[in-house]
Amino acid sequence: KIPPPPLPDREVGAGDNWPLGYLWRHMDRSATWPIVRTLLHDVLAAVAPRLRSREGSRPFAFLGFDVLLAGDLQPWLCEINANPTLECKRPIDREVDLEVVGDLLRNLE
């Protein structure tokens, strides 16, 4: 395994999540993000007709998309989690999870 580039004030291992702010400092967001968005849009368009809400619940889903960026920055969808874990086992996980939940709440407004 090739270790990830070091992050200032963060301990990061191979396969760890990165806060998006750090990720965008290491790559061209304007080139990478549209490709990731298209991938996720296409996947959601394919599965959305099969998603159903539970009786008595609101039609809302919090899905976790695990996207791997290859060395050439090609995104690969690894999995979709219907119940993503927000366990915050390590400090880097806590930071990423708080960023995700904050983004979710801002987008619900």
Side-chain angles (χ1 to χ4, degrees), residues 33-108:
W33 188 238
I35 299 168
V36 172
R37 285 181 58 124
T38 299
L39 170 68
L40 299 180
H41 175 271
D42 293 349
V43 168
L44 280 172
V47 301
R50 292 187 280 288
L51 295 177
R52 291 180 173 56
S53 61
R54 294 182 198 146
E55 174 118 9
S57 68
R58 296 182 182 167
F60 177 88
F62 180 54
L63 303 173
F65 290 81
D66 291 349
V67 176
L68 173 73
L69 291 176
D72 63 356
L73 303 183
Q74 174 68 37
W76 294 92
L77 180 62
C78 299
E79 67 178 347
I80 302 171
N81 300 299
N83 295 303
T85 303
L86 301 172
E87 291 182 327
C88 303
K89 291 181 181 178
R90 298 169 296 168
I92 191 87
D93 294 331
R94 178 176 169 74
E95 186 172 342
V96 170
D97 291 350
L98 288 173
E99 185 177 4
V100 167
V101 171
D103 287 346
L104 171 69
L105 294 175
R106 275 189 294 284
N107 284 296
L108 287 176

Side-chain angles (χ1 to χ4, degrees), residues 2-14:
I2 299 172
L7 296 179
D9 71 345
R10 299 288 184 274
E11 187 176 323
V12 181

